[in-house]
Amino acid sequence: GENVEQHPSTLSVQEGDSAVIKCTYSDSASNYFPWYKQELGKRPQLIIDIRSNVGEKKDQRIAVTLNKTAKHFSLHITETQPEDSAVYFCAADDRGSTLGRLYFGRGTQLTVWP
Amino acid sequence: DGGITQSPKYLFRKEGQNVTLSCEQNLNHDAMYWYRQDPGQGLRLIYYSQIVNDFQKGDIAEGYSVSREKKESFPLTVTSAQKNPTAFYLCASSMRGSTYNEQFFGPGTRLTVL
């Protein structure tokens, strides 16, 4: 099955700086890569996703890039704010099977200091 | 995400007891999932179901059981065979047959074994 690695496990930035979280995956058949944000004690919520037919997608201060050749994708947050503090998870889908599921990375705890 | 509910929010269990966690969705989603979340471990898949009356083991199914008698419901039973059941449990659902497997999460149940 798919294997998703996520780095770093913790990330601290000053308010206004940028934050980058990187993930790699093993299955070249994967073609959907979502990112979820989970605030303390809350449910994970989708913040952005990217399909394999594009290399970059932006939504205001958040962007995701995908390099299918190298099998890695990254989340970029610009102009960080304290409310961006949360755990972020990357994931990749299981296109090698008819039983659709997502494989998640272990998460990155992002802390934005005011 | 407001269409998925989990109950109870907090659950306490004595060792040796079975407990059942509820998950209901009104999103008309075919697929439902159960994840376990421990600090630093990310989201680990316990069981998933793509259709009524059918389900598959995930990566950590030992000590758990599920049923899928109705499209809207996917209860998870934590049995006494689960050696370390204290964790945060998340249920999710998604459209089956969709090209891209966006998952929507419930609010979670925090299980503590006393």
Side-chain angles (χ1 to χ4, degrees):
Chain A
E2 175 69 278
N3 181 44
V4 177
E5 302 276 347
Q6 182 173 347
H7 298 281
S9 57
T10 60
L11 179 60
S12 292
V13 299
Q14 201 73 33
E15 182 178 1
D17 289 348
S18 295
V20 180
I21 302 170
K22 299 181 179 181
C23 289
T24 61
Y25 62 99
S26 60
D27 187 357
S28 58
S30 294
N31 63 10
Y32 173 63
F33 307 93
W35 286 88
Y36 286 83
K37 174 184 179 181
Q38 186 179 27
E39 297 178 1
L40 188 63
K42 301 288 183 62
R43 72 187 80 189
Q45 293 192 309
L46 181 73
I47 55 171
I48 195 167
D49 56 20
I50 192 166
R51 278 62 165 162
S52 60
N53 57 342
V54 298
E56 183 176 1
K57 182 178 178 180
K58 285 185 179 180
D59 183 3
Q60 299 183 337
R61 296 186 297 109
I62 294 174
V64 57
T65 58
L66 171 65
N67 184 327
K68 281 192 67 75
T69 302
K71 290 189 282 188
H72 68 70
F73 56 112
S74 300
L75 177 70
H76 304 254
I77 305 174
T78 59
E79 301 173 21
T80 54
Q81 301 168 3
E83 51 265 38
D84 293 329
S85 296
V87 178
Y88 292 81
F89 294 98
C90 64
D93 71 341
D94 180 10
R95 301 308 297 174
S97 167
T98 57
L99 303 175
R101 59 166 288 180
L102 291 174
Y103 290 86
F104 285 87
R106 290 197 167 195
T108 296
Q109 173 68 63
L110 173 64
T111 303
V112 180
W113 300 100
Chain B
D1 58 275
I4 303 178
T5 58
Q6 290 184 242
S7 61
K9 186 174 182 178
Y10 299 97
L11 186 57
F12 298 90
R13 185 195 98 172
K14 292 182 179 180
E15 284 192 22
Q17 290 181 335
N18 292 355
V19 289
T20 297
L21 281 57
S22 170
C23 178
E24 304 276 336
Q25 54 96 3
N26 62 5
L27 300 170
N28 199 34
H29 285 170
D30 294 291
M32 298 187 74
Y33 310 81
W34 274 106
Y35 293 92
R36 170 178 171 143
Q37 187 171 30
D38 298 281
Q41 294 289 325
L43 300 171
R44 294 187 290 170
L45 184 65
I46 305 172
Y47 269 98
Y48 59 118
S49 168
Q50 296 292 312
I51 197 169
V52 174
N53 293 323
D54 189 39
F55 48 83
Q56 291 76 39
K57 293 182 179 180
D59 303 319
I60 56 166
E62 186 176 353
Y64 300 97
S65 66
V66 293
S67 63
R68 187 84 188 278
E69 297 177 1
K70 298 187 299 181
K71 186 176 182 178
E72 301 80 18
S73 177
F74 191 40
L76 174 75
T77 296
V78 184
T79 75
S80 56
Q82 170 50 237
K83 297 306 178 187
N84 186 21
T86 294
F88 188 52
Y89 291 87
L90 286 160
C91 178
S93 69
S94 69
M95 289 290 291
R96 180 173 178 262
S98 171
T99 304
Y100 304 109
N101 188 12
E102 179 179 349
Q103 294 186 13
F104 297 83
F105 285 85
T109 292
R110 189 166 297 279
L111 172 64
T112 302
V113 174
L114 303 173

